[in-house]
Amino acid sequence: MCNQTTMTEFLLLGFSDVPELQILYFVVFLVLYLISLLGNLLIITAIALDRHLHIPMYFFLMNLSILDLGSISVTISKSMANSLMNTRSISYSGCVAQVFLVVFFASADFAILTIMAYDRYVTICQPLHYETAMNRRACVQMAASAWTNVLLYSAVHTGKTFAISFCGGNMINYFFCDIPPLIKLSCIDTFQYEIQLFTAAILVIFMPFTLILVSYIFIISTILKMALAEGRHKAFSTCFSHLIVVTLYYGSSSLIYLRPINLPDSNKVLSLIYRTVTPTLNCFIYSLRKKEVKESLRRILRDMMKRKIFSHRK
């Protein structure tokens, strides 16, 4: 028997131990990662460099893109490296860091999506108070509060997880270190901890979802009262992308974390969707389909081409 004082590494079983399939998984993960990396970096660059996008909606969108980049990098980078090198190991400290960052990025996603719903609520339901409620200082404070609170939450949750003694072997039936598969390796009855984990998941997932739901009840009620069809269409279009992203995030995460931990592992497939596919789709659903972002990217690329031509002429 071994515990956390003698455990030096874990083995991530991933999806297959067949070398040919591991190469296939590496290629698929690499394609998803590169698409997500390129898309989110373009969004972050456009919002950071274009003053026309220096408004609250795009400020929070930039935060979400940063979180998406972090989330997909933390979860699949180690899995890709293991597939390429035909190994499964991850060090104990690496697993601790991965759990902390996984919880951090996931919780921060929910917090930022909730703030974005509030931004849409103020825009549509309280337009006369928008400049006051969503000024630069208020936006920075909301984002900083979200990042700080989830940082503390992640630290506490990670500490509690690795305070458990592990004697059920060191093989994790997952493609990254996460709390549910780690609990299965415990020496002791973890029923109480599972209840705590389930309660924490409800707080982190369900409470923000409730706030988003309440915001959209008011938003839809206000939109339906608008006299002009054009105004209703414009208001709905500003919320549509956010609703799709919220559905993707909350749907997949709820299926993973709001179910009993001892269910076998359809969770791996759901985690793959939640950790890799959703951040990749977010680039297109929420961002690159927006006219302002596309125009900003065109301006940036045009300016870069002009500078390049001018430097060649010199």
Side-chain angles (χ1 to χ4, degrees), residues 20 37 43 60-61 73 85 97 101 103 111 137 139 144 178 183 191 193 215 222 231 236 259 274 287 293:
E20 290 79 9
L37 182 68
I43 292 162
F60 294 122
L61 179 56
S73 298
M85 296 184 292
L101 291 171
V103 175
R137 183 178 178 184
C139 291
D178 201 6
I183 289 174
F191 178 75
Y193 181 69
S215 297
T222 302
F236 270 122
R259 300 193 304 169
Y274 176 49
S287 312
V293 176

PDB file of all heavy atoms in Angstrom, residues 20 37 43 60-61 73 85 97 101 103 111 137 139 144 178 183 191 193 215 222 231 236 259 274 287 293:
ATOM      1  N   GLU A  20      -0.794   2.839 -32.768  1.00  0.00           N
ATOM      2  CA  GLU A  20      -1.341   3.494 -33.962  1.00  0.00           C
ATOM      3  C   GLU A  20      -2.479   4.443 -33.587  1.00  0.00           C
ATOM      4  O   GLU A  20      -2.580   5.551 -34.129  1.00  0.00           O
ATOM      5  CB  GLU A  20      -1.850   2.451 -34.964  1.00  0.00           C
ATOM      6  CG  GLU A  20      -0.768   1.627 -35.634  1.00  0.00           C
ATOM      7  CD  GLU A  20      -0.237   0.514 -34.733  1.00  0.00           C
ATOM      8  OE1 GLU A  20      -0.831   0.284 -33.654  1.00  0.00           O
ATOM      9  OE2 GLU A  20       0.778  -0.122 -35.113  1.00  0.00           O
ATOM     10  N   LEU A  37      -6.021  27.534 -30.519  1.00  0.00           N
ATOM     11  CA  LEU A  37      -4.928  28.479 -30.265  1.00  0.00           C
ATOM     12  C   LEU A  37      -4.985  29.657 -31.233  1.00  0.00           C
ATOM     13  O   LEU A  37      -4.946  30.822 -30.812  1.00  0.00           O
ATOM     14  CB  LEU A  37      -3.588  27.750 -30.400  1.00  0.00           C
ATOM     15  CG  LEU A  37      -2.325  28.569 -30.117  1.00  0.00           C
ATOM     16  CD1 LEU A  37      -2.240  28.927 -28.642  1.00  0.00           C
ATOM     17  CD2 LEU A  37      -1.082  27.789 -30.543  1.00  0.00           C
ATOM     18  N   ILE A  43      -8.631  36.545 -31.534  1.00  0.00           N
ATOM     19  CA  ILE A  43      -9.635  37.321 -30.796  1.00  0.00           C
ATOM     20  C   ILE A  43      -8.969  38.223 -29.762  1.00  0.00           C
ATOM     21  O   ILE A  43      -9.277  39.415 -29.649  1.00  0.00           O
ATOM     22  CB  ILE A  43     -10.636  36.370 -30.113  1.00  0.00           C
ATOM     23  CG1 ILE A  43     -11.474  35.659 -31.167  1.00  0.00           C
ATOM     24  CG2 ILE A  43     -11.548  37.128 -29.153  1.00  0.00           C
ATOM     25  CD1 ILE A  43     -12.157  34.413 -30.655  1.00  0.00           C
ATOM     26  N   PHE A  60     -14.836  41.250 -21.574  1.00  0.00           N
ATOM     27  CA  PHE A  60     -15.131  39.956 -20.951  1.00  0.00           C
ATOM     28  C   PHE A  60     -14.925  38.809 -21.938  1.00  0.00           C
ATOM     29  O   PHE A  60     -14.544  37.704 -21.537  1.00  0.00           O
ATOM     30  CB  PHE A  60     -16.560  39.954 -20.400  1.00  0.00           C
ATOM     31  CG  PHE A  60     -16.756  40.918 -19.265  1.00  0.00           C
ATOM     32  CD1 PHE A  60     -17.709  41.923 -19.343  1.00  0.00           C
ATOM     33  CD2 PHE A  60     -15.977  40.842 -18.119  1.00  0.00           C
ATOM     34  CE1 PHE A  60     -17.880  42.825 -18.302  1.00  0.00           C
ATOM     35  CE2 PHE A  60     -16.142  41.729 -17.068  1.00  0.00           C
ATOM     36  CZ  PHE A  60     -17.100  42.728 -17.162  1.00  0.00           C
ATOM     37  N   LEU A  61     -15.169  39.066 -23.219  1.00  0.00           N
ATOM     38  CA  LEU A  61     -14.907  38.049 -24.230  1.00  0.00           C
ATOM     39  C   LEU A  61     -13.414  37.717 -24.301  1.00  0.00           C
ATOM     40  O   LEU A  61     -13.028  36.558 -24.464  1.00  0.00           O
ATOM     41  CB  LEU A  61     -15.408  38.532 -25.593  1.00  0.00           C
ATOM     42  CG  LEU A  61     -15.201  37.594 -26.778  1.00  0.00           C
ATOM     43  CD1 LEU A  61     -15.815  36.229 -26.519  1.00  0.00           C
ATOM     44  CD2 LEU A  61     -15.779  38.209 -28.044  1.00  0.00           C
ATOM     45  N   SER A  73      -5.004  24.062 -23.102  1.00  0.00           N
ATOM     46  CA  SER A  73      -3.558  23.822 -22.978  1.00  0.00           C
ATOM     47  C   SER A  73      -3.250  22.903 -21.803  1.00  0.00           C
ATOM     48  O   SER A  73      -2.408  21.998 -21.899  1.00  0.00           O
ATOM     49  CB  SER A  73      -2.805  25.145 -22.803  1.00  0.00           C
ATOM     50  OG  SER A  73      -2.972  25.977 -23.931  1.00  0.00           O
ATOM     51  N   MET A  85       5.172  10.204 -27.301  1.00  0.00           N
ATOM     52  CA  MET A  85       6.328   9.487 -26.745  1.00  0.00           C
ATOM     53  C   MET A  85       5.988   8.079 -26.273  1.00  0.00           C
ATOM     54  O   MET A  85       6.820   7.401 -25.686  1.00  0.00           O
ATOM     55  CB  MET A  85       6.921  10.301 -25.588  1.00  0.00           C
ATOM     56  CG  MET A  85       7.493  11.639 -26.020  1.00  0.00           C
ATOM     57  SD  MET A  85       8.300  12.539 -24.673  1.00  0.00           S
ATOM     58  CE  MET A  85       6.912  12.955 -23.635  1.00  0.00           C
ATOM     59  N   ALA A  97      -0.703  20.131  -9.997  1.00  0.00           N
ATOM     60  CA  ALA A  97      -0.813  21.377 -10.758  1.00  0.00           C
ATOM     61  C   ALA A  97      -1.938  21.290 -11.788  1.00  0.00           C
ATOM     62  O   ALA A  97      -2.696  22.252 -11.981  1.00  0.00           O
ATOM     63  CB  ALA A  97       0.514  21.674 -11.459  1.00  0.00           C
ATOM     64  N   LEU A 101      -5.271  23.731 -11.947  1.00  0.00           N
ATOM     65  CA  LEU A 101      -5.549  24.568 -13.116  1.00  0.00           C
ATOM     66  C   LEU A 101      -6.848  24.176 -13.806  1.00  0.00           C
ATOM     67  O   LEU A 101      -7.577  25.036 -14.307  1.00  0.00           O
ATOM     68  CB  LEU A 101      -4.371  24.489 -14.097  1.00  0.00           C
ATOM     69  CG  LEU A 101      -3.081  25.156 -13.610  1.00  0.00           C
ATOM     70  CD1 LEU A 101      -1.920  24.831 -14.546  1.00  0.00           C
ATOM     71  CD2 LEU A 101      -3.252  26.668 -13.480  1.00  0.00           C
ATOM     72  N   VAL A 103      -9.561  22.923 -12.320  1.00  0.00           N
ATOM     73  CA  VAL A 103     -10.642  23.478 -11.497  1.00  0.00           C
ATOM     74  C   VAL A 103     -10.694  24.993 -11.659  1.00  0.00           C
ATOM     75  O   VAL A 103     -11.783  25.592 -11.778  1.00  0.00           O
ATOM     76  CB  VAL A 103     -10.445  23.102 -10.014  1.00  0.00           C
ATOM     77  CG1 VAL A 103     -11.500  23.776  -9.139  1.00  0.00           C
ATOM     78  CG2 VAL A 103     -10.513  21.592  -9.834  1.00  0.00           C
ATOM     79  N   ALA A 111     -17.849  31.872 -14.004  1.00  0.00           N
ATOM     80  CA  ALA A 111     -17.931  33.219 -13.445  1.00  0.00           C
ATOM     81  C   ALA A 111     -17.985  34.276 -14.544  1.00  0.00           C
ATOM     82  O   ALA A 111     -18.821  35.205 -14.499  1.00  0.00           O
ATOM     83  CB  ALA A 111     -16.741  33.476 -12.523  1.00  0.00           C
ATOM     84  N   ARG A 137     -13.878  50.824 -14.513  1.00  0.00           N
ATOM     85  CA  ARG A 137     -13.481  50.374 -13.181  1.00  0.00           C
ATOM     86  C   ARG A 137     -14.339  49.198 -12.712  1.00  0.00           C
ATOM     87  O   ARG A 137     -13.829  48.223 -12.154  1.00  0.00           O
ATOM     88  CB  ARG A 137     -13.603  51.538 -12.195  1.00  0.00           C
ATOM     89  CG  ARG A 137     -13.143  51.195 -10.787  1.00  0.00           C
ATOM     90  CD  ARG A 137     -13.254  52.395  -9.871  1.00  0.00           C
ATOM     91  NE  ARG A 137     -12.864  52.066  -8.516  1.00  0.00           N
ATOM     92  CZ  ARG A 137     -12.940  52.900  -7.489  1.00  0.00           C
ATOM     93  NH1 ARG A 137     -13.366  54.146  -7.692  1.00  0.00           N
ATOM     94  NH2 ARG A 137     -12.572  52.525  -6.282  1.00  0.00           N
ATOM     95  N   CYS A 139     -15.938  47.002 -14.558  1.00  0.00           N
ATOM     96  CA  CYS A 139     -15.609  45.805 -15.347  1.00  0.00           C
ATOM     97  C   CYS A 139     -14.336  45.137 -14.842  1.00  0.00           C
ATOM     98  O   CYS A 139     -14.283  43.905 -14.697  1.00  0.00           O
ATOM     99  CB  CYS A 139     -15.449  46.175 -16.825  1.00  0.00           C
ATOM    100  SG  CYS A 139     -16.993  46.648 -17.624  1.00  0.00           S
ATOM    101  N   ALA A 144     -11.591  40.886 -11.916  1.00  0.00           N
ATOM    102  CA  ALA A 144     -10.591  40.574 -10.884  1.00  0.00           C
ATOM    103  C   ALA A 144     -11.205  39.760  -9.756  1.00  0.00           C
ATOM    104  O   ALA A 144     -10.581  38.818  -9.235  1.00  0.00           O
ATOM    105  CB  ALA A 144      -9.993  41.871 -10.342  1.00  0.00           C
ATOM    106  N   ASP A 178      -7.955  14.606 -12.978  1.00  0.00           N
ATOM    107  CA  ASP A 178      -9.171  15.294 -12.556  1.00  0.00           C
ATOM    108  C   ASP A 178      -9.632  14.679 -11.248  1.00  0.00           C
ATOM    109  O   ASP A 178      -9.231  13.549 -10.901  1.00  0.00           O
ATOM    110  CB  ASP A 178     -10.253  15.175 -13.639  1.00  0.00           C
ATOM    111  CG  ASP A 178     -11.317  16.257 -13.512  1.00  0.00           C
ATOM    112  OD1 ASP A 178     -11.156  17.159 -12.659  1.00  0.00           O
ATOM    113  OD2 ASP A 178     -12.315  16.209 -14.268  1.00  0.00           O
ATOM    114  N   ILE A 183     -10.355  10.258  -6.942  1.00  0.00           N
ATOM    115  CA  ILE A 183     -11.053   9.789  -5.744  1.00  0.00           C
ATOM    116  C   ILE A 183     -11.175   8.266  -5.747  1.00  0.00           C
ATOM    117  O   ILE A 183     -11.161   7.617  -4.700  1.00  0.00           O
ATOM    118  CB  ILE A 183     -12.442  10.457  -5.645  1.00  0.00           C
ATOM    119  CG1 ILE A 183     -12.272  11.943  -5.303  1.00  0.00           C
ATOM    120  CG2 ILE A 183     -13.316   9.792  -4.598  1.00  0.00           C
ATOM    121  CD1 ILE A 183     -13.559  12.720  -5.311  1.00  0.00           C
ATOM    122  N   PHE A 191     -17.294   8.606   0.647  1.00  0.00           N
ATOM    123  CA  PHE A 191     -18.688   9.021   0.432  1.00  0.00           C
ATOM    124  C   PHE A 191     -18.909  10.473   0.880  1.00  0.00           C
ATOM    125  O   PHE A 191     -19.531  11.264   0.172  1.00  0.00           O
ATOM    126  CB  PHE A 191     -19.642   8.083   1.179  1.00  0.00           C
ATOM    127  CG  PHE A 191     -21.088   8.490   1.045  1.00  0.00           C
ATOM    128  CD1 PHE A 191     -21.777   8.266  -0.139  1.00  0.00           C
ATOM    129  CD2 PHE A 191     -21.739   9.112   2.095  1.00  0.00           C
ATOM    130  CE1 PHE A 191     -23.105   8.645  -0.265  1.00  0.00           C
ATOM    131  CE2 PHE A 191     -23.067   9.498   1.977  1.00  0.00           C
ATOM    132  CZ  PHE A 191     -23.753   9.258   0.797  1.00  0.00           C
ATOM    133  N   TYR A 193     -16.694  12.857   1.190  1.00  0.00           N
ATOM    134  CA  TYR A 193     -16.002  13.782   0.299  1.00  0.00           C
ATOM    135  C   TYR A 193     -16.739  13.919  -1.034  1.00  0.00           C
ATOM    136  O   TYR A 193     -16.795  15.004  -1.608  1.00  0.00           O
ATOM    137  CB  TYR A 193     -14.564  13.326   0.058  1.00  0.00           C
ATOM    138  CG  TYR A 193     -13.805  14.263  -0.849  1.00  0.00           C
ATOM    139  CD1 TYR A 193     -13.467  15.548  -0.427  1.00  0.00           C
ATOM    140  CD2 TYR A 193     -13.457  13.881  -2.140  1.00  0.00           C
ATOM    141  CE1 TYR A 193     -12.794  16.418  -1.261  1.00  0.00           C
ATOM    142  CE2 TYR A 193     -12.781  14.750  -2.978  1.00  0.00           C
ATOM    143  CZ  TYR A 193     -12.452  16.018  -2.530  1.00  0.00           C
ATOM    144  OH  TYR A 193     -11.791  16.874  -3.371  1.00  0.00           O
ATOM    145  N   SER A 215     -31.309  36.387 -15.422  1.00  0.00           N
ATOM    146  CA  SER A 215     -30.978  37.514 -16.304  1.00  0.00           C
ATOM    147  C   SER A 215     -31.722  37.402 -17.626  1.00  0.00           C
ATOM    148  O   SER A 215     -32.286  38.386 -18.130  1.00  0.00           O
ATOM    149  CB  SER A 215     -29.467  37.561 -16.574  1.00  0.00           C
ATOM    150  OG  SER A 215     -28.739  37.781 -15.400  1.00  0.00           O
ATOM    151  N   THR A 222     -38.119  41.886 -21.637  1.00  0.00           N
ATOM    152  CA  THR A 222     -37.912  43.238 -22.167  1.00  0.00           C
ATOM    153  C   THR A 222     -37.948  43.249 -23.694  1.00  0.00           C
ATOM    154  O   THR A 222     -38.550  44.141 -24.310  1.00  0.00           O
ATOM    155  CB  THR A 222     -36.561  43.804 -21.680  1.00  0.00           C
ATOM    156  OG1 THR A 222     -36.547  43.814 -20.255  1.00  0.00           O
ATOM    157  CG2 THR A 222     -36.342  45.227 -22.194  1.00  0.00           C
ATOM    158  N   GLY A 231     -35.599  46.161 -33.669  1.00  0.00           N
ATOM    159  CA  GLY A 231     -34.994  46.258 -32.339  1.00  0.00           C
ATOM    160  C   GLY A 231     -34.981  44.915 -31.629  1.00  0.00           C
ATOM    161  O   GLY A 231     -33.996  44.558 -30.987  1.00  0.00           O
ATOM    162  N   PHE A 236     -32.012  40.173 -29.765  1.00  0.00           N
ATOM    163  CA  PHE A 236     -31.859  38.720 -29.731  1.00  0.00           C
ATOM    164  C   PHE A 236     -30.497  38.288 -30.279  1.00  0.00           C
ATOM    165  O   PHE A 236     -29.861  37.373 -29.754  1.00  0.00           O
ATOM    166  CB  PHE A 236     -32.971  38.046 -30.543  1.00  0.00           C
ATOM    167  CG  PHE A 236     -34.196  37.711 -29.739  1.00  0.00           C
ATOM    168  CD1 PHE A 236     -35.438  38.221 -30.099  1.00  0.00           C
ATOM    169  CD2 PHE A 236     -34.115  36.889 -28.623  1.00  0.00           C
ATOM    170  CE1 PHE A 236     -36.572  37.917 -29.352  1.00  0.00           C
ATOM    171  CE2 PHE A 236     -35.241  36.574 -27.881  1.00  0.00           C
ATOM    172  CZ  PHE A 236     -36.482  37.090 -28.249  1.00  0.00           C
ATOM    173  N   ARG A 259     -23.094  14.078 -11.637  1.00  0.00           N
ATOM    174  CA  ARG A 259     -23.518  12.679 -11.620  1.00  0.00           C
ATOM    175  C   ARG A 259     -22.704  11.950 -10.554  1.00  0.00           C
ATOM    176  O   ARG A 259     -21.635  12.425 -10.156  1.00  0.00           O
ATOM    177  CB  ARG A 259     -23.255  12.020 -12.980  1.00  0.00           C
ATOM    178  CG  ARG A 259     -23.966  12.670 -14.124  1.00  0.00           C
ATOM    179  CD  ARG A 259     -23.912  11.787 -15.360  1.00  0.00           C
ATOM    180  NE  ARG A 259     -22.552  11.446 -15.741  1.00  0.00           N
ATOM    181  CZ  ARG A 259     -22.250  10.527 -16.648  1.00  0.00           C
ATOM    182  NH1 ARG A 259     -23.207   9.850 -17.237  1.00  0.00           N
ATOM    183  NH2 ARG A 259     -20.997  10.262 -16.952  1.00  0.00           N
ATOM    184  N   TYR A 274     -15.990  18.835 -23.456  1.00  0.00           N
ATOM    185  CA  TYR A 274     -15.978  20.023 -22.606  1.00  0.00           C
ATOM    186  C   TYR A 274     -14.634  20.747 -22.624  1.00  0.00           C
ATOM    187  O   TYR A 274     -14.566  21.972 -22.698  1.00  0.00           O
ATOM    188  CB  TYR A 274     -16.339  19.597 -21.176  1.00  0.00           C
ATOM    189  CG  TYR A 274     -16.280  20.700 -20.151  1.00  0.00           C
ATOM    190  CD1 TYR A 274     -16.889  21.922 -20.370  1.00  0.00           C
ATOM    191  CD2 TYR A 274     -15.614  20.495 -18.940  1.00  0.00           C
ATOM    192  CE1 TYR A 274     -16.846  22.924 -19.416  1.00  0.00           C
ATOM    193  CE2 TYR A 274     -15.569  21.485 -17.981  1.00  0.00           C
ATOM    194  CZ  TYR A 274     -16.185  22.693 -18.227  1.00  0.00           C
ATOM    195  OH  TYR A 274     -16.131  23.687 -17.279  1.00  0.00           O
ATOM    196  N   SER A 287     -17.365  34.606 -31.355  1.00  0.00           N
ATOM    197  CA  SER A 287     -16.436  35.680 -31.658  1.00  0.00           C
ATOM    198  C   SER A 287     -16.270  35.960 -33.139  1.00  0.00           C
ATOM    199  O   SER A 287     -16.627  37.037 -33.620  1.00  0.00           O
ATOM    200  CB  SER A 287     -15.070  35.336 -31.055  1.00  0.00           C
ATOM    201  OG  SER A 287     -15.226  34.933 -29.719  1.00  0.00           O
ATOM    202  N   VAL A 293     -15.595  41.990 -34.783  1.00  0.00           N
ATOM    203  CA  VAL A 293     -14.332  41.268 -34.618  1.00  0.00           C
ATOM    204  C   VAL A 293     -13.693  41.004 -35.977  1.00  0.00           C
ATOM    205  O   VAL A 293     -12.483  41.186 -36.160  1.00  0.00           O
ATOM    206  CB  VAL A 293     -14.546  39.941 -33.851  1.00  0.00           C
ATOM    207  CG1 VAL A 293     -13.249  39.143 -33.778  1.00  0.00           C
ATOM    208  CG2 VAL A 293     -15.063  40.216 -32.447  1.00  0.00           C
TER     209      VAL A 293
END
